Amino acid sequence: MEIDKAIRESDDRRLKTKYENAIYVIQRALALYSIEEVAFSFNGGKDSTVLLHLLRAGYFLYKGEQSCSEEGLNEFPIRTIYFESPSAFPEINSFTYDTASTYGLQMDIIRLDFKSGLEALLKSKPIRAIFLGVRIGDPTAVGQEQFSPSSPGWPPFMRVNPILDWSYRDVWAFLLKCKVQYCSLYDHGYTSIGSIYDTTPNALLSNDNSSSGRETFRPAYLLSDGRLERAGRAKRISPVRGSSAVSNGPDNVGSHKNSMLTASAIAVGDEILFGTFGDQLGPTLCRKLHSIGWSVLQTTVVRNEVDSVAEEVERQKSVNDMVFIYGGVGPLHSDVTLSGVAKAFGVRLAPDEEFEEYLRHLIGDQCTGDRNEMAQLPEGITELLHHEKLPVPLIKCQNVIVLTATNVTELDEQWECLNQLSGSSSLLSMLEPYVSKYLTTQLSDVETAHPLAKLCLEFPDLYIGCYRKSRYGSLMISFKGKDQVRIQSAMEALFRKFHPGAFSEAK
Ligand SMILES: Cc1cc2nc3c(=O)[nH]c(=O)nc-3n(C[C@H](O)[C@H](O)[C@H](O)COP(=O)(O)O)c2cc1C
Ligand SMILES: Nc1ncnc2c1ncn2[C@@H]1O[C@H](COP(=O)(O)OP(=O)(O)OP(=O)(O)O)[C@@H](O)[C@H]1O
Ligand SMILES: [Mg+2]
């Protein structure tokens, strides 16, 4: 069988592993369901083209194990369904039909929407399982496994996704290694194909030939960052963020100048709770947030335990505009922060090829196996924050930023990068910074308590706090707010309540 031979003769270890896993899934499905009970959903796209050849190989190998003779092994008896639509590209349509005839596919053409089409199909045929070319990273892959029952509200069948864990690069490695035909649009810069209304060539593959008047594009397999395969697809409205207060674009940055944005910080570390090691980052992070006008509502310390992290993240993300979490990131048994974040959002960890590439640069050969645990990130909600000064991008899951800093110097660097990124994107809106004034007094707590309580009522827009460094030393009074004039007025109001010289200003 030519596909099996091409992969077995290749020296691409990663591709071999992906191939073997996919073939395993296909063979399990063929063992679970009779041939009349399975169908292949084929639409001429690159992923379904990969799947077609995997199914051909999988069926061949499965049948070969069952019978001694080679007779009939090259046929492909799996029912193939194609949802034909007038909004499909003509190239996709003709490729689908040509491929069907080349490989003798028994095609059922369905001219209904997916759901109604499947309802009709399942009524007329004994189908129980459908092979799909869905991959992690596709918007529809979130939450799916290799075997996933159809969703509630859909007719009942098993979705079988043999290439769920394949990356964009794996897809192209396979198609090129096996030298099989694929739809011609992929040679002209299309990297993911939807309808004629929502799909254009991927601008990242554009040749700079604007002077010639006709823009041309490089082939899809040259796209180096697979995460951008959908860059040529019209955007759907993205999921709602953790909070509407975080700006969604540069235009909004200014409009937040005077609004209130809140953050919290979560430190993950048993050693902090044992008292062996102090939280290095919390206080610095609070000061930094304050300096850009954000209010910090809470800092917490949680154990290196998935559920503890998940519960805290879940709580904080729903009441804050941004949550910062640090500690517990890496390959150690105690590094559970990303699992906790994933659990808080109800998603799983999935391999992220781009992140893996960064880690590979950083730790080289120590990056073992085909599945790098450190390159698993919360699926469908992760954004990598790139900055030239960062060896590995920071991870942002909706309104949760995972900091990898372990000390203040590293935090300074990461904060600077975050700030610079915020300048050109919507990351952290810069607000009017807080200003602070401090007074000290030798007056007793009892003398100051009542007038200070009244002052707080008179200046509800300011934070007026009191603390002392020792029970018998001087009392420190802090005034924090965004309006210098208001702070001055509050201080003067306080002076008027006591004898002159009762307070002195402190730095
Ligand atoms: C054979 C088949 C089965 C599908 N099963 C489901 C399903 O169980 N649940 C679901 O939400 N969508 C299901 N879909 C729809 C897809 O998840 C998804 O909406 C569709 O492929 C997206 O295509 P679009 O980007 O062109 O809208 C199915 C689609 C096909 C072709
Ligand atoms: N019109 C359709 N008819 C049959 N199956 C479909 C159709 N649209 C989608 N599918 C199924 O859903 C899978 C995922 O679709 P998706 O568009 O992500 O991948 P693709 O079309 O194979 O490749 P590409 O990402 O390049 O468009 C397909 O591989 C196929 O199994
Ligand atoms: Mg497609």
Side-chain angles (χ1 to χ4, degrees):
M1 204 285 157
E2 83 283 5
I3 300 292
D4 194 59
K5 188 161 176 283
I7 301 297
R8 292 202 189 281
E9 285 175 357
S10 130
D11 50 12
D12 185 339
R13 233 185 77 221
R14 180 183 164 111
L15 182 60
K16 275 186 170 160
T17 311
K18 298 277 165 141
Y19 171 77
E20 275 156 19
N21 289 345
I23 294 291
Y24 174 77
V25 172
I26 290 168
Q27 293 191 332
R28 291 315 296 158
L30 294 176
L32 280 165
Y33 305 99
S34 71
I35 207 75
E36 294 75 34
E37 289 175 335
V38 294
F40 162 43
S41 196
F42 180 57
N43 68 336
K46 64 180 185 313
D47 305 328
S48 63
T49 302
V50 167
L51 184 54
L52 164 66
H53 295 291
L54 289 171
L55 285 169
R56 290 179 55 237
Y59 178 74
F60 176 88
L61 295 168
Y62 179 72
K63 267 318 219 199
E65 277 172 15
Q66 307 225 310
S67 72
C68 317
S69 87
E70 293 251 321
E71 207 181 310
L73 283 186
N74 266 330
E75 65 186 38
F76 186 76
I78 300 175
R79 179 184 300 282
T80 302
I81 52 175
Y82 173 42
F83 292 83
E84 194 174 314
S85 145
S87 60
F89 281 88
E91 291 89 340
I92 276 281
N93 220 18
S94 54
F95 176 75
T96 305
Y97 279 100
D98 290 350
T99 308
S101 107
T102 308
Y103 295 103
L105 310 183
Q106 301 170 28
M107 288 262 274
D108 275 343
I109 310 294
I110 305 175
R111 293 191 177 87
L112 292 168
D113 64 88
F114 291 141
K115 212 177 197 179
S116 324
L118 288 167
E119 259 157 24
L121 183 75
L122 265 66
K123 272 196 191 124
S124 60
K125 306 279 168 8
I127 288 167
R128 295 176 59 211
I130 303 180
F131 290 103
L132 288 145
V134 170
R135 290 188 295 111
I136 276 172
D138 291 348
T140 59
V142 175
Q144 285 209 58
E145 303 289 340
Q146 282 160 330
F147 287 82
S148 277
S150 52
S151 323
W154 285 68
F157 58 91
M158 184 62 81
R159 287 177 287 181
V160 186
N161 304 311
I163 59 166
L164 189 67
D165 66 338
W166 285 44
S167 68
Y168 182 81
R169 192 156 16 123
D170 296 331
V171 164
W172 283 110
F174 179 86
L175 293 173
L176 298 177
K177 181 66 67 189
C178 296
K179 299 196 174 66
V180 289
Q181 290 223 319
Y182 51 81
C183 175
S184 60
L185 290 175
Y186 293 110
D187 278 334
H188 298 103
Y190 289 83
T191 50
S192 168
I193 302 176
S195 81
I196 47 172
Y197 303 112
D198 71 2
T199 312
T200 55
N202 192 322
L204 294 156
L205 292 172
S206 170
N207 290 315
D208 187 18
N209 47 11
S210 41
S211 54
S212 74
R214 200 176 146 265
E215 194 176 12
T216 59
F217 293 86
R218 297 189 295 284
Y221 57 80
L222 291 181
L223 183 75
S224 52
D225 183 350
R227 284 172 62 104
L228 301 169
E229 79 169 273
R230 296 177 74 86
R233 301 283 291 268
K235 296 239 177 341
R236 298 204 174 155
I237 294 159
S238 59
V240 183
R241 284 171 182 246
S243 160
S244 58
V246 176
S247 78
N248 284 321
D251 295 350
N252 287 351
V253 173
S255 65
H256 286 298
K257 261 310 232 177
N258 296 314
S259 60
M260 158 132 167
L261 294 176
T262 68
S264 76
I266 305 172
V268 182
D270 287 338
E271 64 289 345
I272 304 174
L273 294 168
F274 280 125
T276 18
F277 196 73
D279 172 13
Q280 307 273 303
L281 308 187
T284 310
L285 189 57
C286 289
R287 279 194 294 275
K288 288 183 184 303
L289 282 160
H290 222 220
S291 73
I292 59 162
W294 282 55
S295 305
V296 180
L297 294 191
Q298 206 167 12
T299 66
T300 46
V301 182
V302 298
R303 295 178 48 206
N304 291 78
E305 201 244 333
V306 177
D307 286 331
S308 305
V309 174
E311 278 165 27
E312 194 56 27
V313 171
E314 197 173 350
R315 215 181 351 257
Q316 300 296 350
K317 76 181 174 62
S318 56
V319 293
N320 284 286
D321 296 290
M322 200 63 90
V323 178
F324 293 85
I325 187 164
Y326 49 90
V329 185
L332 303 174
H333 69 281
S334 53
D335 292 331
V336 297
T337 296
L338 285 165
S339 303
V341 172
K343 191 163 183 183
F345 282 99
V347 302
R348 64 186 167 184
L349 290 178
D352 186 300
E353 198 181 47
E354 188 196 0
F355 197 62
E356 183 169 12
E357 195 65 29
Y358 277 98
L359 293 178
R360 214 172 272 282
H361 276 296
L362 198 70
I363 52 179
D365 294 342
Q366 292 174 41
C367 213
T368 52
D370 302 294
R371 239 181 141 72
N372 180 359
E373 295 296 324
M374 274 172 77
Q376 307 244 8
L377 302 178
E379 186 189 18
I381 54 166
T382 298
E383 196 184 321
L384 294 182
L385 305 175
H386 305 265
H387 191 287
E388 55 190 15
K389 286 197 192 138
L390 296 172
V392 173
L394 293 176
I395 297 160
K396 177 170 168 286
C397 300
Q398 294 193 3
N399 64 331
V400 177
I401 293 181
V402 182
L403 296 168
T404 49
T406 56
N407 60 37
V408 172
T409 314
E410 290 165 7
L411 177 62
D412 285 345
E413 282 164 15
Q414 296 186 1
W415 181 260
E416 197 186 313
C417 295
L418 280 175
N419 264 333
Q420 285 176 12
L421 291 172
S422 302
S424 56
S425 77
S426 55
L427 201 53
L428 287 176
S429 300
M430 302 288 155
L431 305 182
E432 201 67 58
Y434 279 97
V435 276
S436 311
K437 287 271 187 189
Y438 301 92
L439 297 176
T440 60
T441 180
Q442 294 300 329
L443 293 167
S444 72
D445 290 3
V446 177
E447 287 169 288
T448 46
H450 186 62
L452 268 178
K454 275 188 74 182
L455 191 72
C456 290
L457 293 177
E458 290 161 28
F459 292 88
D461 52 322
L462 299 183
Y463 175 79
I464 301 172
C466 300
Y467 57 93
R468 45 171 71 253
K469 288 184 180 150
S470 81
R471 184 43 58 202
Y472 305 105
S474 56
L475 178 69
M476 185 81 84
I477 303 170
S478 67
F479 296 80
K480 290 182 193 293
K482 299 200 168 190
D483 185 342
Q484 190 97 40
V485 178
R486 287 285 291 166
I487 289 182
Q488 197 57 40
S489 312
M491 282 168 49
E492 282 162 13
L494 182 64
F495 296 156
R496 285 195 295 275
K497 293 179 197 281
F498 291 92
H499 61 84
F503 298 93
S504 48
E505 203 166 318
K507 284 275 161 232

